[in-house]
Amino acid sequence: MKNYKRVHFIGIGGIGMSAMAKLLKARGTYVSGSDVQLSETIKELRHMSIQIAIGSKPELIGKDVELIVYSSAVPLDDEERIRGRHLDIPEMTYNAFLGEVSKGSNLIAVTGTHGKSTTTAMLGHILVEAGLDPPVVVGSKVTSFNHGNVQIGTSDIFVAEACEHMAHMLHLEPRVIVLTNIEFDHPDFYEDVDHVRSAMREFAEKLPQGGTLVWNADDEQSKKLVNELSISRPDINAVSYGPEGDFRVNVEAKSGVQLMHVYKQDQEMGDVELKLPGAYNVANAMMASIAASTLHVRGEDMKRALESFPGLWRRFERLGVWQGADLYTDYGHHPTALASLIEGVK
């Protein structure tokens, strides 16, 4: 990545935008930004001495700004973007900038319709616990990360949540892809589930020779994708999780945890006590572990990390007690995600 001296973020309060702003600030770049309203995220950024305007303030953008990064929600006629064009300042979207920042690294990109944030956070937590010190960018806040939605690391390993909306993941150049699942979503962009799978296949085909695709063998659309790749890219190393996959689990319910008995083919690998509910979180944990294994992380480090994983903001997050009932908040909104969450809670 070019060594920028000053970068301005429009829509800096967004979960991805704020993560990149924190990462650049930690690397010594002068960062400024703007957003439409004050938020806890804005307060966090200001605490890091990042100058932020509430509302559009084009007068704050001078000739010393080398790049403008903007949220995809910011329109072309935004006054700050107009000011930037008058000053011939290059601009790019958050997702394109994530691609630039992570380019040349040993990038592990986590994508799919459901489970991206949790799987990214679990993987990042495993690698941090294993001492690998990766930068990690995730679309939520993680208690164990040094800046919530980003882990400021210094190694050449980079872990990023790769958003599939509008095929944003195609901006990235990964060496490992974790594909959690494929389902029809974002009908403002995708025509049907075949269109989603086609975009995911295009992403997978960006893997270098010998690159690894970690995939869910219990997901029908992922099976179709891997079958297609076996013809177009037989050089990709596809490793699966699921009842018929390379890795599988038997789950035993215990008090407050899911006890995962992990197997590779027919060989028992060990047990993990997962504190999060639901079969979907077992899948998230397994796919994060498989991705970590591509970096030769030891099994005991994975076990320790998964058993200490603190969870994420708005992912079955316990808020407290209200009128005698435990109160949780969750981001789930897709019908499949809601059904999986309710089943997990039961």
Side-chain angles (χ1 to χ4, degrees):
M1 185 191 80
K2 177 181 176 181
N3 187 22
Y4 292 103
K5 294 181 179 179
R6 180 172 180 185
V7 176
H8 184 81
F9 290 79
I10 307 176
I12 196 170
I15 195 73
M17 293 280 283
S18 59
M20 296 306 294
K22 292 173 183 177
L23 185 59
L24 256 64
K25 177 69 176 180
R27 291 180 173 182
T29 301
Y30 182 87
V31 177
S32 61
S34 64
D35 213 309
V36 294
Q37 61 185 9
L38 186 64
S39 65
E40 287 301 315
T41 301
I42 297 297
K43 292 177 183 178
E44 291 173 9
L45 294 168
R46 284 178 169 173
H47 187 70
M48 295 179 68
S49 300
I50 295 176
Q51 181 187 21
I52 300 173
I54 302 302
S56 186
K57 296 289 191 295
E59 64 272 15
L60 296 180
I61 299 177
K63 293 182 178 180
D64 59 332
V65 175
E66 297 175 303
L67 178 69
I68 291 175
V69 180
Y70 63 94
S71 163
S72 56
V74 177
L76 185 64
D77 61 356
D78 175 83
E79 290 296 326
E80 292 185 8
R81 291 186 64 188
I82 292 172
R83 168 75 171 170
R85 290 196 294 273
H86 285 167
L87 295 175
D88 292 324
I89 300 172
E91 64 173 10
M92 65 176 66
T93 64
Y94 156 73
N95 293 283
F97 188 56
L98 176 60
E100 178 173 330
V101 171
S102 61
K103 192 171 185 179
S105 66
N106 186 4
L107 174 61
I108 305 177
V110 181
T111 193
T113 306
H114 313 295
K116 293 184 295 295
S117 295
T118 302
T119 304
T120 304
M122 285 178 165
L123 173 56
H125 185 68
I126 290 170
L127 300 185
V128 170
E129 286 292 305
L132 297 181
D133 195 30
V136 185
V137 176
V138 61
S140 184
K141 298 177 182 178
V142 188
T143 306
S144 62
F145 285 2
N146 49 23
H147 289 286
N149 55 343
V150 62
Q151 173 71 26
I152 307 297
T154 58
S155 75
D156 68 340
I157 302 166
F158 199 112
V159 179
E161 180 173 338
C163 178
E164 82 281 14
H165 184 219
M166 300 184 73
H168 287 315
M169 69 284 185
L170 296 179
H171 288 289
L172 303 179
E173 301 289 340
R175 296 185 183 180
V176 175
I177 291 175
V178 179
L179 175 59
T180 58
N181 42 61
I182 300 172
E183 195 170 0
F184 181 46
D185 197 6
H186 304 298
D188 57 326
F189 179 77
Y190 292 109
E191 298 173 1
D192 51 28
V193 71
D194 291 336
H195 189 190
V196 181
R197 190 181 72 253
S198 175
M200 290 298 183
R201 173 180 168 178
E202 185 178 354
F203 186 41
E205 288 177 337
K206 296 186 73 173
L207 285 167
Q209 184 176 4
T212 300
L213 173 68
V214 180
W215 65 285
N216 185 349
D218 200 30
D219 180 65
E220 289 301 319
Q221 291 297 325
S222 296
K223 284 183 182 178
K224 290 182 180 180
L225 171 61
V226 171
N227 287 336
E228 293 166 354
L229 287 175
S230 66
I231 299 172
S232 64
R233 286 294 307 276
D235 59 312
I236 291 174
N237 180 32
V239 185
S240 60
Y241 158 73
E244 299 177 0
D246 300 302
F247 291 82
R248 60 182 177 85
V249 296
N250 290 335
V251 180
E252 178 185 345
K254 290 184 63 179
S255 178
V257 300
Q258 300 189 86
L259 180 60
M260 300 164 48
H261 304 287
V262 182
Y263 298 85
K264 182 178 181 181
Q265 277 86 41
D266 292 326
Q267 180 182 357
E268 187 170 359
M269 304 297 289
D271 297 338
V272 176
E273 292 188 350
L274 188 67
K275 297 175 184 176
L276 303 182
Y280 64 100
N281 274 318
V282 170
N284 294 337
M286 284 301 302
M287 299 188 78
S289 299
I290 295 169
S293 72
T294 67
L295 298 172
H296 309 292
V297 174
R298 298 179 304 173
E300 54 263 41
D301 290 334
M302 296 185 201
K303 174 181 170 65
R304 185 181 69 254
L306 290 175
E307 292 186 341
S308 66
F309 181 68
L312 289 80
W313 173 62
R314 294 184 66 199
R315 304 304 192 275
F316 197 65
E317 177 190 12
R318 189 176 188 274
L319 299 181
V321 178
W322 182 73
Q323 295 188 2
D326 291 324
L327 185 63
Y328 291 82
T329 179
D330 196 275
Y331 181 76
H333 51 280
H334 188 287
T336 300
L338 289 172
S340 298
L341 171 65
I342 292 168
E343 186 60 33
V345 172
K346 289 178 180 178

